[in-house]
Amino acid sequence: MPPFRRRFLAVPAAALTALAVTQAVTAGPAGAAAAADVSTTLAARTTSVPAAGDISGSGQAVVWRQKTSADTRAHGWLAVSGGTPQDLGRLADTDETVTVHAVSVQDGVVAAATSTDPNGALADHVTLRDLDSGAEDVLPVAYDSSGAAGDERYRAQAGDGILVQQSYQDDTSAYLVRLLLRTPGGEDRTLLSGDEQYEVLASDAHGALVLRRTAPSWDHRIVYVDFATGATVTVAEPATDELPQGLEFTPGHVGVVDGATLTEWQRSAPGDGPSEVTLPSADARWISDDTLAWYRWSAADGAAELFAMARDGSTPATDLGGTATDLSVGDDGRMRLTLYRDDVDAAIQTLADGRISTAAGDATTIPAGPARLDALALSGGALYTADDSSRRQGVLLRSNLSAGPAGASASTPSRVLAYTGGLVHQTLAAAGGRVLVEQGSAYEPGHFQVYDEDGTPFGTPLNYSDVSVVSVVDFDGERALVSDKTTASDGTLLLYTFEGGHTQRVPSGSALSGGALYSSVRNGTTSTWSIRRTDLTTGTVTTAATVNCLPGGLQVRGSRILLTTCGTAASTTGLLLQAGSSVTASVDSSVRTPILGTDVLYTFTKSSDSTAVTLNARSLTGTSTGTQPLFTLPDKADTGAADRWAVDRDAPWAAWMDDTGVTHVVWAGVPAAASSAAPAGFSPNGDGKTDTWAPTWTYDRPVSWTLTLKSGTTQVRSLTGTSTAGKVAPVWNGTTRTGSAAAEGAYTWTLTARDTVTGRAAADITGKVTLRRTVPAATVTSPAVASSAATTASVPVGWSARTAGVKSYDIGWRVATRDSAGVWRLGSLQTWRTATTATSAVFGKAGSPVKPVAGLTYRFYVRAHDDAGQTGPWSKAATTGVPVDDRATALRYTGAWKSVAATSAWSGTERVSATKGAYVSFTADGTQLRVVAARKSNGGRFAVVVDGRTVGTVNTYAARTAYRQVVFTGTLGTTIKTHKVQLRILSGSTSARSTVTLDAVMVTR
């Protein structure tokens, strides 16, 4: 696996927000640990399965070579019948050009080749262990790194012995090698000699397939050598270093595969010559007693897929799935392979007739080791780690983080995706629900790939032949700023858009945020600089801020901008500012580049001896300007590894990993009010309704709090408390701090809260509350007769407050109607207007619930709502009757009357008579009678007769004409009864004043 390299230069994913003050940001004590914090841990991941290779099997025993973590040397492992694997100890390096089987098993004997020198290049002894008896033998290997005569190299196991290549010089001083068989307690036996190099391709207790190379022509010959007889037979003579398509080495035969033809020799009688066998597949590369296997490239997923089938063709070829990294045929003639799958941990599987054997003991799980987790990435309260050791192509893990009254917590790491497109070098960044990773291998160019959280690749990868010259400076989930040393020699950056694969050059020191690119531009020849915002969708350019110093690198979150330095190139002071504001704060950049997040500003301080660097956090939403130390930055695992800490730029979290693989997550925020309910007012008048003001705020953290109430600038009352569950619920009874009753009026309140664990202050919450002791009251007015205000059936209604602090009104109405039995009944109160701030309306116009009906009486009511949240009682009614027009059929005219049109009259007509004795009669069911007529200069007189008795005489004379005048009002009784009414014309006071102009009559019910 390629070494890990940390190349995310900008800021390890972090968080920050609100700006506030003009004073400098002060750092916490150097190297100090937080006095108290809100943190949690994720245990070291131990379910990862490192790569295993050099598989060797014999019956129910299988051995393999495995590195349990990135920075340890390989160990040998043994499992019998699928049991718990046993660690055989550390193996020697195998970096030589020839294959060295450092661990193997044959005929029930395990061979482990190791070196006494931890840094030795090859084995200097081989331990042989008999699985039945447990007896062990140690055979020495005279390894000499100089390669002088006598130098020995371990080549392979041979049952209870080993094969050793030994160098020597012949009589002519020519440098040659020989292949020896060395057994416990016995003399070395020379099997082959006179060559330059031997490579053992396969071996068991009875013989070996050996690749011989001889100078000067360096021909290649593959020979089978029988240990018992010493006889050899050449099975192939390849023309180059390329081996034959496949080799057969089973208990009964040896041979070579060419296409679908197997040429094989019997091991019991190799001199009898070969025979040819036609195989059911021309692709076979590995061949055992019962199975053929081969790789086939798949264009669909860009990977080589392993196929297998029964050797005799009785089962069809099938893709085994997963990733097979090592295959071998044991001395028992069975094929075994290391198989990695997405759904299970890696295991060594035995094949039977081209299928994965399910027999007991034929599957051995590779033991887990400490996971190799690369650089942590945080985004939006999610922690990402890339585990390259659990799957052959890497797995991205995610834990969701939360901080509540009970403390911080992290969900169990879950797999987000198994990477495709190459091994993962490291997770570079996370943002916007996506992760950016660097991928590639020693055999393919490197590239940067973005993945959605569901594992789907996003956009077009950014490819580079050498990713070591590329640094990712910023990432927003859709785009990346890349420093490309191959092209950006003048210090400019490349903006790469993954959707579409578009690249463009941008000014150095630029930053990404909110779909925009921020960069600094000098304003002509002046000493001021503008921070320009370019919308990457529309291309619109605006000026976000102006500064009077040379800006260094930019970081942007929301409306806040951090200049990592502000001044000369040697400046160690940054500047925090807010778009559209002149308020700034200086930031210390002397130790490391500070990091700006959505809610937190991260800075760094050094210990007094400069050996440790502490990460500090300052909340930008709270009221405190101080910083809180979070943790001391951990050292890297090794020089080629990534940093083991990160901060979240979208939520207040930071994380670091210790040497044991435990991940520590620290909450760096301040308490936030998740919900609140603060009534606008109250009325401490003892009526049992809202006698106290009882607001509530629910914080996501335990807090100590203070609620201050002021009238103007004078403090009236202060309430304090502590809430372990985060709920703040003060109660004010309307008294001052001396216990006296507070005056009516509006008060300003301020709530301050501080985390009881970390001591960090939350942002202040302010508002107003109104105290009223008087219940709100209002009055309503309307004309007694609708005709007094208009010529049609509409009623102007007005209302007004009678007490202070009234904010709105409810308007109601009622009307009396005759039921089916002919009885007049007053209807229930109905709502016309609710919580209106208007003070008048016309009943009968737009928005009116009904159209007023002639002959009916309408009653209007009002109630008030005040600024203390009180609702007063309904007022007394204002009563308006809608009169009956002179043309109504209920009016019966006797004598000389005529109808006259008049625009200003009720409903546009009047009834006129100057004849003495003429009258109009009607029935009146009500408590009060009103007569509407016009007063004119020729106006005469009429008598009002009720139930045969004259109750009044009306003179309608006036110097000036006046329409729709209520010329008579009389009480009919206290209850509704039926009365007979006549309006009878009397003689005029003069002949010129004898005309009566009747308009309408109204009976109140």
Side-chain angles (χ1 to χ4, degrees):
M1 180 176 298
F4 279 45
R5 298 178 296 276
R6 176 72 171 173
R7 283 198 292 277
F8 185 43
L9 298 185
V11 286
L16 203 156
T17 353
L19 171 64
V21 298
T22 56
Q23 68 184 76
V25 178
T26 58
D37 61 25
V38 179
S39 61
T40 186
T41 60
L42 284 82
R45 179 167 166 81
T46 58
T47 57
S48 298
V49 183
D54 293 346
I55 300 171
S56 177
S58 179
Q60 293 299 304
V62 60
V63 296
W64 66 93
R65 169 190 173 89
Q66 178 185 350
K67 294 180 69 174
T68 55
S69 67
D71 301 313
T72 62
R73 299 191 181 278
H75 282 221
W77 292 82
L78 161 71
V80 180
S81 299
T84 302
Q86 305 171 44
D87 188 348
L88 300 178
R90 188 167 64 190
L91 303 176
D93 287 351
T94 58
D95 295 333
E96 199 182 21
T97 56
V98 296
T99 300
V100 176
H101 293 281
V103 63
S104 59
V105 59
Q106 295 174 9
D107 255 6
V109 177
V110 175
T114 56
S115 171
T116 56
D117 180 357
N119 297 313
L122 289 178
D124 56 23
H125 66 277
V126 178
T127 301
L128 298 170
R129 174 181 165 192
D130 190 292
L131 294 179
D132 291 331
S133 66
E136 288 190 354
D137 289 292
V138 178
L139 298 180
V141 179
Y143 166 67
D144 182 352
S145 60
S146 69
D151 173 41
E152 294 180 347
R153 308 293 175 96
Y154 172 68
R155 285 294 175 246
Q157 182 184 4
D160 60 356
I162 61 174
L163 298 176
V164 176
Q165 174 183 300
Q166 186 182 74
S167 63
Y168 67 96
Q169 290 181 331
D170 65 8
D171 294 340
T172 63
S173 297
Y175 181 89
L176 299 172
V177 296
R178 53 188 164 224
L179 188 65
L180 304 178
L181 174 60
R182 182 171 294 167
T183 57
E187 295 290 334
D188 288 350
R189 233 175 93 209
T190 298
L191 299 176
L192 299 169
S193 64
D195 297 309
E196 288 292 332
Q197 187 182 72
Y198 297 110
E199 182 177 346
V200 178
L201 305 178
S203 68
D204 59 17
H206 308 290
L209 274 176
V210 181
L211 174 63
R212 303 178 62 172
R213 302 190 64 193
T214 306
S217 60
W218 289 96
D219 293 333
H220 298 70
R221 283 186 299 154
I222 299 175
V223 300
Y224 171 71
V225 55
D226 185 272
F227 296 158
T229 64
T232 61
V233 61
T234 299
V235 299
E237 296 186 66
T240 66
D241 286 338
E242 289 291 331
L243 293 178
Q245 171 184 319
L247 292 173
E248 178 188 33
F249 189 84
T250 63
H253 297 84
V254 294
V256 294
V257 181
D258 182 10
T261 300
L262 167 63
T263 304
E264 65 177 9
W265 288 259
Q266 291 187 23
R267 295 181 66 176
S268 59
D272 290 349
S275 60
E276 289 190 353
V277 178
T278 300
L279 302 175
S281 171
D283 296 322
R285 290 201 46 153
W286 291 272
I287 183 167
S288 66
D289 279 345
D290 62 357
T291 297
L292 303 177
W294 64 92
Y295 276 116
R296 181 179 299 165
W297 177 260
S298 171
D301 57 12
E305 299 170 344
L306 181 65
F307 283 77
M309 65 183 296
R311 177 169 174 164
D312 60 7
S314 59
T315 60
T318 303
D319 180 5
L320 295 182
T323 303
T325 59
D326 201 14
L327 288 84
S328 70
V329 179
D331 67 350
D332 56 359
R334 305 179 72 191
M335 186 179 297
R336 295 171 179 83
L337 55 88
T338 308
L339 189 61
Y340 296 81
R341 291 187 175 177
D342 292 338
D343 55 343
V344 295
D345 283 331
I348 295 174
Q349 299 280 355
T350 300
L351 300 186
D353 288 328
R355 300 293 183 269
I356 295 174
S357 173
T358 58
D362 280 352
T364 299
T365 299
I366 300 174
R372 177 167 182 164
L373 301 177
D374 78 341
L376 305 173
L378 283 161
S379 177
L383 172 68
Y384 298 89
T385 55
D387 179 359
D388 281 0
S389 54
S390 64
R391 297 293 185 270
R392 292 300 294 166
Q393 289 191 317
V395 171
L396 181 69
L397 305 173
R398 168 180 170 146
S399 290
N400 292 320
L401 309 177
S402 61
S409 62
S411 63
T412 302
S414 60
R415 193 187 73 162
V416 177
L417 60 91
Y419 293 115
T420 60
L423 297 176
V424 178
H425 293 181
Q426 62 175 304
T427 301
L428 290 175
R434 295 192 176 104
V435 290
L436 172 65
V437 300
E438 176 195 325
Q439 293 181 270
S441 70
Y443 309 105
E444 63 179 4
H447 61 274
F448 300 104
Q449 174 70 65
V450 174
Y451 289 91
D452 288 324
E453 287 186 352
D454 62 1
T456 304
F458 171 76
T460 303
L462 177 58
N463 298 314
Y464 280 93
S465 58
D466 182 5
V467 292
S468 66
V469 298
V470 182
S471 299
V472 175
V473 177
D474 206 353
F475 174 64
D476 66 0
E478 297 184 9
R479 307 168 187 87
L481 287 175
V482 180
S483 174
D484 181 357
K485 298 182 179 65
T486 62
T487 58
S489 57
D490 59 353
T492 59
L493 295 177
L494 298 181
L495 172 64
Y496 184 78
T497 304
F498 286 92
E499 186 173 11
H502 175 66
T503 302
Q504 67 184 83
R505 296 168 71 90
V506 296
S508 61
S510 296
L512 291 170
S513 181
L517 177 75
Y518 290 80
S519 55
S520 56
V521 180
R522 186 172 183 175
N523 297 321
T525 59
T526 68
S527 59
T528 64
W529 296 72
S530 292
I531 310 301
R532 300 285 178 84
R533 179 187 186 277
T534 302
D535 189 293
L536 294 174
T537 300
T538 64
T540 303
V541 179
T542 56
T543 298
T546 301
V547 294
N548 58 1
C549 62
L550 174 64
L554 297 177
Q555 295 179 32
V556 182
R557 275 298 179 271
S559 62
R560 290 178 181 79
I561 302 170
L562 173 66
L563 311 182
T564 56
T565 60
C566 194
T568 65
S571 171
T572 59
T573 301
L575 192 65
L576 184 63
L577 53 102
Q578 189 165 8
S581 172
S582 60
V583 178
T584 62
S586 59
V587 181
D588 181 16
S589 302
S590 61
V591 177
R592 288 199 181 192
T593 301
I595 303 169
L596 175 65
T598 303
D599 292 314
V600 181
L601 176 67
Y602 295 93
T603 56
F604 303 87
T605 52
K606 276 188 178 182
S607 60
S608 57
D609 59 2
S610 299
T611 59
V613 175
T614 298
L615 174 69
N616 307 293
R618 173 197 153 200
S619 173
L620 298 179
T621 59
T623 56
S624 174
T625 60
T627 60
Q628 184 88 3
L630 298 180
F631 52 77
T632 299
L633 301 186
D635 294 331
K636 292 184 178 183
D638 55 55
T639 56
D643 283 330
R644 294 188 297 174
W645 65 275
V647 294
D648 191 334
R649 299 193 70 197
D650 302 310
W653 291 97
W656 64 281
M657 184 182 296
D658 62 26
D659 292 339
T660 65
V662 175
T663 302
H664 303 261
V665 183
V666 180
W667 180 69
V670 298
S675 62
S676 63
F682 70 119
S683 53
N685 52 19
D687 64 356
K689 300 178 181 179
T690 63
D691 284 331
T692 60
W693 183 54
T696 60
W697 296 271
T698 302
Y699 283 89
D700 56 4
R701 297 283 307 130
V703 294
S704 59
W705 54 268
T706 299
L707 179 68
T708 304
L709 295 130
K710 290 184 178 181
S711 175
T713 59
T714 303
Q715 181 174 317
V716 176
R717 189 72 186 271
S718 178
L719 304 172
T720 62
T722 299
S723 173
T724 57
K727 185 175 182 180
V728 176
V731 177
W732 184 34
N733 61 3
T735 61
T736 67
R737 57 186 173 182
T738 63
S740 60
E744 286 196 1
Y747 292 82
T748 300
W749 56 263
T750 301
L751 178 69
T752 61
R754 186 176 293 274
D755 195 295
T756 59
V757 177
T758 66
R760 300 179 198 135
D764 287 353
I765 303 176
T766 62
K768 290 185 179 296
V769 60
T770 302
L771 187 157
R772 298 287 179 194
R773 290 187 171 86
T774 304
V775 176
T779 185
V780 63
T781 59
S782 65
V785 183
S787 58
S788 298
T791 60
T792 58
S794 58
V795 182
V797 182
W799 53 88
S800 60
R802 295 175 55 196
T803 57
V806 172
K807 294 179 64 178
S808 63
Y809 305 86
D810 296 336
I811 312 301
W813 63 282
R814 301 172 76 184
V815 64
T817 57
R818 193 192 300 268
D819 63 15
S820 59
V823 178
W824 288 92
R825 298 186 185 279
L826 186 62
S828 60
L829 181 66
Q830 301 182 63
T831 302
W832 175 21
R833 297 288 178 91
T834 301
T836 181
T837 57
T839 56
S840 64
V842 178
F843 192 78
K845 296 294 185 180
S848 179
V850 296
K851 183 175 179 60
V853 177
L856 298 184
T857 302
Y858 295 87
R859 292 168 175 81
F860 301 99
Y861 309 83
V862 64
R863 66 179 179 183
H865 305 285
D866 68 10
D867 51 8
Q870 300 184 98
T871 299
W874 288 103
S875 67
K876 291 183 179 180
T879 302
T880 298
V882 180
V884 175
D885 183 47
D886 64 281
R887 292 172 294 179
T889 58
L891 302 182
R892 298 179 297 277
Y893 293 93
T894 301
W897 293 85
K898 68 177 180 178
S899 182
V900 178
T903 302
S904 298
W906 177 253
S907 295
T909 62
E910 297 172 323
R911 194 64 59 107
V912 178
S913 178
T915 304
K916 179 182 178 181
Y919 64 90
V920 56
S921 59
F922 53 91
T923 299
D925 297 335
T927 59
Q928 198 170 49
L929 171 66
R930 287 184 174 83
V931 178
V932 179
R935 292 185 183 275
K936 295 185 178 182
S937 58
N938 64 349
R941 297 182 305 135
F942 67 88
V944 180
V945 181
V946 179
D947 296 330
R949 185 170 64 87
T950 299
V951 297
T953 299
V954 177
N955 186 353
T956 64
Y957 168 79
R960 294 183 178 181
T961 300
Y963 293 96
R964 306 188 314 279
Q965 300 296 301
V966 178
V967 296
F968 175 81
T969 300
T971 300
L972 297 177
T974 58
T975 60
I976 297 177
K977 294 182 179 179
T978 300
H979 303 276
K980 295 186 180 296
V981 179
Q982 284 187 352
L983 304 180
R984 186 177 295 275
I985 304 298
L986 302 177
S987 59
S989 57
T990 65
S991 59
R993 299 178 180 176
S994 59
T995 302
V996 173
T997 305
L998 182 65
D999 199 350
V1001 295
M1002 175 64 213
V1003 178
T1004 300
R1005 299 178 174 91

